[in-house]
Amino acid sequence: MRRAVCPGSFDPVTNGHLDIVGRASRLFDEVIVVVTINQSKNSLFTVEERIDMLRQVTASYDNVRVESFRGLLVDFCRAQQATVLVKGLRAVSDFDYELQMAHMNIGLAGVETLFMPTNPLYSFLSSSLVKDVAKWGGDVSPHVPDVVREALNLRLDPSVRG
């Protein structure tokens, strides 16, 4: 079985993330979307909330499942018998960092990294940008699934939005 891992913090999941997951689901028998737990990041949503949103928005893919993990990503890959990480790249600046990680992952555990260029529709999109726009009352509906837009509205200003 060809199994791949799509890692990220997904705080929150965007349409750009979903584009990568959907495309990966056509290339692999199984795709595991893994919410990586990073204590140094100040997250808007809990890990459980992010997992719940991801499960809702990936439910239409029969070969996608959602998990969480804290630690070295290659350890998760080994435990899941996944030999490939799928990473979306928006710009050259993403590549600089991701290439270093790819070299480390292949060296540590023989885990390959597949770099997938982002659909140009989402090349500017990031979870941070979505949170900033939503915080100031901007319309993020073109950039996130409805369930995420609703969660952002409730989290950021429940008295005004809803």
Side-chain angles (χ1 to χ4, degrees), residues 130-159:
V130 164
K131 287 186 284 194
D132 285 344
V133 170
K135 178 175 71 174
W136 295 106
D139 180 16
V140 296
S141 58
H143 311 298
V144 297
D146 288 342
V147 66
V148 174
R149 180 188 48 78
E150 292 165 9
L152 282 164
N153 287 342
L154 289 171
R155 178 63 43 91
L156 294 172
D157 193 356
S159 64

Side-chain angles (χ1 to χ4, degrees), residues 14-17 19-20 23 89-90 117-126 129-130 142-144:
T14 68
N15 290 340
H17 292 129
D19 176 62
I20 297 296
R23 289 162 56 201
L89 296 178
R90 295 170 294 194
T118 289
N119 181 318
L121 292 172
Y122 309 119
S123 62
F124 67 92
L125 191 56
S126 70
L129 183 59
V130 164
H143 311 298
V144 297

Side-chain angles (χ1 to χ4, degrees), residues 36-93:
T36 54
I37 301 169
N38 185 344
Q39 299 293 16
S40 65
K41 282 190 176 181
N42 192 9
S43 300
L44 180 63
F45 294 103
T46 66
V47 171
E48 292 76 19
E49 289 169 326
R50 288 179 270 159
I51 289 171
D52 182 56
M53 284 187 277
L54 277 161
R55 286 183 175 152
Q56 289 181 60
V57 300
T58 61
S60 63
Y61 299 108
D62 293 335
N63 64 334
V64 173
R65 65 181 162 102
V66 180
E67 305 288 342
S68 66
F69 184 74
R70 177 190 332 262
L72 286 176
L73 193 53
V74 293
D75 291 339
F76 178 84
C77 290
R78 256 193 232 121
Q80 300 297 318
Q81 298 178 329
T83 58
V84 178
L85 290 168
V86 176
K87 303 293 294 237
L89 296 178
R90 295 170 294 194
V92 172
S93 56

